[in-house]
Amino acid sequence: MGIVLGIESSCDETAAALVDSERRIVAQRIASQDDAHRPYGGVVPEIAARAHAERVTPLVAATLADAGMTLADVDAVAATAGPGLIGGVMVGLVSAKALAMASDKPLIAINHLEGHALSPRLADPSLQFPYLLLLVSGGHCQLLLVEGVGRYRRLGTTIDDALGEAFDKTAKILGLGFPGGPAVERLALTGDARKVPLPRPLLGSAEPHFSFAGLKSAVLRAKDAGIHADADIAAAFQQAAIDCVIDRTRKALLRQAQDERIAVTALVVAGGVAANQAVRSGLEGLAGEYALPFVAPPLALCTDNAAMIAWAGIERLGQSDPLDFAARPRWPLDPDAAPVRGAGVKA
Ligand code: KG4
Ligand code: ZN
C-alpha cells in the first residue's frame, strides 16, 4: 500500500490530490481560474502563475485536512514538472520540493502528459499495456502507443492546432466565451451538421497525423458568410473534427497491427477533449469495429486534475527525482519521435 500527494499547476487549474495504490482518490481539491481569465478570452500566463502561487499552499493543506492526514502519512510528493505554462509549473514544482524536503519524502517529477496518459488506469484496473491512446487536450493532439510507464511511442501528432485549441477557437468565433470546448459541445446538440459543409483536413492521408487550422479558418468563413445558424456551425465543426479523429485513429490502429504486429489491448482516450460525449461515442464505435475494449476516464479525470498526477506518482512509486529538477516548458513523451513535415513550432 502506498499513498501519494499530487500537485497540478501547468495551466489554469490549481489542484491537489491524495491517491493510494488501491486506486482510491482519498481526497482532491481543484481551484479553477476560469473567472480570472474569462475577460481575456484565454489563459493569461502571468495571471495564472500568480493565482497558483496564492492558492497552492492552502489547497494542499485543505486536501490533507480532508483526508485527516499530514505529510507524515504520504509516501511521496508528485508534481507536474512540465510541459505547460512555465510560471505555473514552477510554482507547483517548487511547492512540491519544499514539502518533500520538509517531510523527508521523495519528490516525483511528473510529465503532465504522462498524467493524462496513465489516468485511464486509475479508473479502470483492468486496463493493461500496451494500449493505443488518443491524447486530446488544449495543447496536444497525439496518438501514442503506451507500452508501459515511461514507455511511449508517438504514432501521430498535429501539424498545427491541438483539438482542444480548435474547439476553443471555434467557441471564440461563435462568441461562446471561455473555456470553449464544453460550450461548443452544448450548442452542437441543437444544430444540424449537414447544413454547413466544412473540410476534413488530412482525411485518408498515410500517416496518422492531424491538422485543424484549415477547419478553424473554414469555421470563420462560415460565420462571416452570415447565412448559417451558430448551432449548425458548431454541429458541423464538431462532426468534421470527429470524422478526422476517427479516420486518423483508425489509421494508427491499422498500422500498428500491420506494420508492427503489436496487438493493443484497448483503444483509450484521455485529456480535456475526452470529456466530449460525441468524441467518446465516435471512438467507442471505432473500437467496436475492431473488437477492442474502449476506455475513457470519468469526466472529472479528463480535464486537468491532480488525481492523475498523484496516480502517475503511484505508478512510479519507488523512484525519486533530485530536488534541483528543473521545470520544463517542453517535455515530449516520446523524445525519439521524428519531427513531422509541415509542422510548425508546436510539434
Ligand atoms: O487537458 P486539459 O484540461 O488541459 C490541457 O492540458 O490542455 O484540456 C483542456 C481542453 C480545452 O481546450 C477545452 O476546451 C477542452 O479541453 N475541452 C473540451 C470539452 N471539455 C474540455 N472540448 C470539447 N468538448 C468538451 N466537452
Ligand atoms: Zn492537460
Side-chain angles (χ1 to χ4, degrees):
M1 245 295 271
I3 183 159
V4 169
L5 169 67
I7 297 175
E8 159 61 31
S9 61
S10 66
C11 190
D12 59 342
E13 324 279 354
T14 318
L18 289 157
V19 172
D20 71 18
S21 48
E22 306 286 302
R23 292 181 159 78
R24 278 186 294 250
I25 300 175
V26 179
Q28 75 165 322
R29 290 203 172 215
I30 301 188
S32 161
Q33 305 173 6
D34 284 353
D35 292 343
H37 300 291
R38 189 166 287 118
Y40 307 95
V43 179
V44 182
E46 266 305 308
I47 294 176
R50 209 168 293 227
H52 288 305
E54 282 165 10
R55 294 171 191 193
V56 66
T57 302
L59 202 76
V60 167
T63 305
L64 285 165
D66 289 346
M69 290 182 177
T70 68
L71 278 178
D73 300 310
V74 309
D75 295 293
V77 182
T80 295
L85 300 175
I86 192 66
V89 174
M90 286 170 72
V91 168
L93 184 57
V94 162
S95 305
K97 287 174 179 175
L99 294 168
M101 194 156 70
S103 59
D104 202 19
K105 300 290 163 108
L107 169 78
I108 309 180
I110 301 293
N111 182 320
H112 177 82
L113 301 174
E114 176 171 76
H116 281 301
L118 299 176
S119 65
R121 282 168 52 83
L122 167 57
D124 187 342
S126 71
L127 179 58
Q128 300 294 325
F129 305 116
Y131 51 86
L132 182 70
L133 172 73
L134 173 70
L135 175 49
V136 274
S137 69
H140 297 271
C141 184
Q142 301 185 349
L143 281 158
L144 294 153
L145 181 67
V146 181
E147 295 177 297
V149 177
R151 293 170 56 212
Y152 309 98
R153 209 127 55 80
R154 197 192 74 188
L155 307 176
T157 188
T158 180
I159 63 169
D160 41 54
D161 294 349
L163 183 54
E165 197 178 352
F167 268 92
D168 292 336
K169 286 176 176 171
T170 295
K172 211 166 186 173
I173 291 167
L174 298 179
L176 297 178
F178 171 84
V184 171
E185 180 177 18
R186 268 194 307 278
L187 186 60
L189 286 174
T190 65
D192 182 350
R194 290 165 304 182
K195 290 193 174 157
V196 188
L198 291 177
R200 273 114 175 109
L202 293 187
L203 204 82
S205 74
E207 299 286 328
H209 296 312
F210 301 85
S211 167
F212 294 107
L215 176 57
K216 174 207 61 191
S217 305
V219 166
L220 186 59
R221 283 195 298 276
K223 172 71 180 169
D224 284 348
I227 51 170
H228 301 294
D230 284 357
D232 294 340
I233 299 177
F237 160 77
Q238 186 171 271
Q239 190 56 55
I242 290 171
D243 287 353
C244 295
V245 163
I246 301 301
D247 177 74
R248 313 290 59 222
T249 307
R250 182 193 303 279
K251 182 69 75 183
L253 272 176
L254 290 173
R255 290 194 61 168
Q256 202 50 49
Q258 285 165 2
D259 300 356
E260 316 217 15
R261 304 191 187 285
I262 295 176
V264 295
T265 63
L267 174 61
V268 180
V269 66
V273 188
N276 184 292
Q277 290 300 336
V279 170
R280 288 165 91 101
S281 55
L283 290 167
E284 188 166 20
L286 178 67
E289 280 180 46
Y290 294 91
L292 281 173
F294 172 65
V295 179
L299 298 193
L301 282 181
C302 291
T303 45
D304 287 348
N305 64 87
M308 70 182 192
I309 303 304
W311 172 252
I314 290 282
E315 296 256 36
R316 288 185 173 275
L317 206 54
Q319 305 177 17
S320 71
D321 290 296
L323 288 174
D324 62 357
F325 192 101
R328 302 177 178 178
R330 282 163 189 258
W331 188 358
L333 272 184
D334 178 358
D336 300 327
V340 183
R341 268 181 69 192
V345 289
K346 286 181 197 156

